[in-house]
Amino acid sequence: MLPNTEERTIPRPLDAADFHRPRYHFLPAANWMNDPNGVIYWQGAYHLFFQYNPAGAWHGNIHWGHAISADLARWRELPTAIAPSPNSPDQGGIFSGCMVDDAGTPTAFYTGVNDDYTVQTQCLARGSEDLRNWRKYPGNPVISEVPPALGQTRDFRDPFVWRGESCWYMALASHIVGVGGAVLLYRSQNLIDWHYAHPLYVGEKARNGRNFECPNFFPLGDKWVLILSAQLDHSPAQTLYFVGRLEDERFFPEREAVYDAGCSYASLCGTDAQGRALLYSWLREERSQAAQREVGWTGVQAVPRLLSLDGQNRLVSQPVAALKSLRGAHSHYSAEDVADGNVSARGLWLDIEASFDTQAAASCGLAVAVSPDGCEKASIIYDSSTQTLQVHRQYREGRDELDSAPQGIPHRLDAGEALQLRILLDGSVIEVIANGRARISSRYYMDDAANDGLRVLATEALLGLDIWEMSSIW
């Protein structure tokens, strides 16, 4: 077990040969990381806690790791924050949760689990003024039983807490047997004594999945937004969002969509220094567990994104503005500059902005991480006929251990609207955002650092292309 009182930062191993490892996305120095937890702006700094295994690059022995940032772009890893306690409700792991400011006291909520994860209860810990030391509530768990009406006893986790007008509220992820995923609503006056109210929202199994995880519920503009992760029976788990109204403590969606169609999962919303909604997300690996153990690290945090609603109540997200401070050498191209599709700028650590006239070609986009012979590449494509944004990953024969399934999400452009792409390429990470509204996060493991080419697909549709080299945050 790592000490949680040591006042030092974690040294970062330098491995220039590992070109899959991101340079401007946050990940710990080594080992396993998954869900973001307890995100909070506290005493002039942003704090990110996260699911972390200090023992190695596999899921298990879950603690809360800790990182801090002054600007949301450059992160510093701190010693582990909260560890499991033997013979306690969290002896099997400190699972996901959130953090609130209780009249000046940082208060973390998390799901404590037993050794085989079959018992899941909700626990509380109070933090020191600097968030480095944590004292667990001696009466944990504060919520111990799944409501009997759900018909199950296991999926009951990921507390999300907020202050209402007259009490505190907690949303918990769960499911109702035979029905589908459910978000449960609890009330409290003191953050200790919680009382079950009713489901805040219940999904449909066929459409929304069997079980929900990591619910977020918050006001945005004059609407309420529910973001959650859904476990589906016949496709990879996805992050969904719903926009609607809150009436009598029940949520009524008016818009529903996939938030991200790729490897993004377990998103968690906090606020920035101005109180705006800020979303963090875990980017899963898409290579074998053996490969993850071999390199000694697994899991990446997406660049935090600011959220808003447009005039049609569509969820809009953009990378935090501070990311632009990492931009270095810049190249600009017009369609005439890349008539053959080839771009002279190269790299595996880039920030790219591109715009296209989708009326000029049946499909358009960019290919990144292109090998010199063109056999390996990741292509970001907009298909005008189906109005979908897609990522296609092409590997050489024999690399079957890598996930190369196509990824796609509906993206209908408004009348006269150009396609605007923001692509964050960072080693094996590819984040794609189209017009702020459609998102695909992907992982691509090129087999050589020389596979760093870029190519424009359908140059006749290109309106403009800007590429920045990105500096490392380490």
Side-chain angles (χ1 to χ4, degrees):
M1 181 183 301
L2 292 180
N4 62 0
T5 57
E6 189 178 357
E7 283 300 328
R8 65 177 178 86
T9 57
I10 304 298
R12 183 165 185 92
L14 299 177
D15 185 0
D18 189 357
F19 48 84
H20 295 144
R21 188 178 177 99
R23 296 184 180 178
Y24 64 90
H25 286 72
F26 173 75
L27 71 165
N31 304 323
W32 170 279
M33 176 179 66
N34 58 298
D35 307 4
N37 298 147
V39 296
I40 191 170
Y41 182 72
W42 186 261
Q43 296 184 348
Y46 299 90
H47 290 262
L48 164 67
F49 298 83
F50 51 90
Q51 298 280 275
Y52 177 62
N53 178 7
W58 62 88
H59 186 272
N61 185 38
I62 295 297
H63 296 48
W64 270 24
H66 187 190
I68 188 171
S69 175
D71 62 0
L72 291 171
R74 299 164 180 84
W75 292 91
R76 181 163 56 100
E77 186 182 358
L78 298 177
T80 303
I82 308 177
S85 298
N87 304 313
S88 80
D90 63 30
Q91 69 179 28
I94 310 293
F95 275 24
S96 292
C98 67
M99 193 173 299
V100 297
D101 180 352
D102 180 20
T105 299
T107 303
F109 291 88
Y110 63 90
T111 297
V113 298
N114 66 342
D115 291 333
D116 63 1
Y117 309 158
T118 56
V119 178
Q120 303 176 4
T121 60
Q122 315 317 316
C123 300
L124 177 152
R126 306 278 191 183
S128 60
E129 188 175 356
D130 61 4
L131 306 187
R132 303 306 201 268
N133 299 285
W134 293 86
R135 177 175 48 85
K136 297 176 183 178
Y137 173 57
N140 277 340
V142 295
I143 302 176
S144 59
E145 296 181 354
V146 182
L150 275 64
Q152 55 91 10
T153 60
R154 178 169 176 163
D155 292 319
F156 183 60
R157 54 185 176 269
D158 310 332
F160 184 85
V161 177
W162 71 97
R163 181 72 190 181
E165 292 183 0
S166 60
C167 66
W168 291 93
Y169 289 102
M170 178 190 292
L172 276 172
S174 192
H175 77 265
I176 300 174
V177 172
V179 177
V183 179
L184 311 180
L185 184 68
Y186 287 75
R187 306 187 196 96
S188 176
Q189 293 294 332
N190 58 11
L191 294 175
I192 298 294
D193 303 301
W194 291 91
H195 305 282
Y196 175 59
H198 46 71
L200 177 68
Y201 174 72
V202 178
E204 297 179 11
K205 182 178 179 180
R207 189 176 82 252
N208 307 129
R210 179 192 65 82
N211 187 64
F212 290 159
E213 294 187 301
C214 302
N216 298 254
F217 191 62
F218 54 93
L220 198 58
D222 60 355
K223 296 293 183 180
W224 281 81
V225 175
L226 174 65
I227 298 177
L228 53 83
S229 295
Q231 296 178 334
L232 309 174
D233 287 334
H234 305 295
S235 61
Q238 290 185 330
T239 303
L240 310 178
Y241 82 83
F242 306 79
V243 179
R245 64 189 190 279
L246 180 64
E247 296 179 0
D248 298 325
E249 297 182 337
R250 295 181 187 272
F251 178 59
F252 297 91
E254 298 167 344
R255 176 178 287 277
E256 170 186 335
V258 173
Y259 173 74
D260 191 300
C263 65
S264 174
Y265 197 71
S267 296
L268 182 62
C269 187
T271 54
D272 72 352
Q274 293 77 46
R276 297 176 294 179
L278 185 71
L279 198 70
Y280 301 74
S281 300
W282 167 43
L283 303 181
R284 298 168 293 190
E285 298 295 327
E286 295 184 305
R287 57 181 169 180
S288 69
Q289 292 184 9
Q292 296 170 44
R293 289 184 180 234
E294 182 179 354
V295 297
W297 62 270
T298 178
V300 178
Q301 294 294 323
V303 170
R305 301 176 186 178
L306 286 172
L307 302 181
S308 62
L309 296 177
D310 68 8
Q312 300 180 46
N313 288 326
R314 297 175 295 194
L315 188 63
V316 176
S317 62
Q318 297 289 358
V320 291
L323 189 68
K324 294 181 179 180
S325 68
L326 301 177
R327 288 173 169 176
H330 171 235
S331 301
H332 172 77
Y333 301 90
S334 65
E336 291 75 16
D337 296 327
V338 291
D340 62 354
N342 292 309
V343 176
S344 57
R346 311 180 69 84
L348 297 178
W349 299 276
L350 304 172
D351 187 351
I352 302 170
E353 295 183 1
S355 58
F356 293 88
D357 176 4
T358 60
Q359 302 300 311
S363 64
C364 56
L366 293 171
V368 300
V370 182
S371 63
D373 62 4
C375 291
E376 292 210 336
K377 58 191 171 186
S379 301
I380 297 99
I381 299 169
Y382 183 75
D383 187 317
S384 299
S385 63
T386 59
Q387 298 182 90
T388 57
L389 178 69
Q390 304 170 12
V391 172
H392 295 269
R393 296 165 291 179
Q394 182 176 328
Y395 292 110
R396 297 183 193 279
E397 190 174 332
R399 304 190 73 198
D400 299 336
E401 79 281 3
L402 300 172
D403 186 347
S404 60
Q407 298 160 311
I409 189 170
H411 181 45
R412 177 172 294 182
L413 294 169
D414 297 334
E417 184 180 22
L419 175 69
Q420 303 286 345
L421 293 179
R422 180 79 178 272
I423 302 169
L424 305 180
L425 174 64
D426 190 9
S428 59
V429 169
I430 304 174
E431 291 192 68
V432 183
I433 304 175
N435 301 84
R437 303 193 303 271
R439 295 151 286 255
I440 301 176
S441 298
S442 189
R443 304 300 298 275
Y444 182 73
Y445 307 95
M446 62 292 297
D447 70 353
D448 193 295
N451 295 5
D452 62 353
L454 285 89
R455 186 170 180 81
V456 177
L457 310 176
T459 56
E460 67 273 21
L462 181 68
L463 298 174
L465 172 63
D466 290 274
I467 302 170
W468 292 267
E469 298 177 8
M470 296 294 280
S471 60
S472 172
I473 63 174
W474 309 111

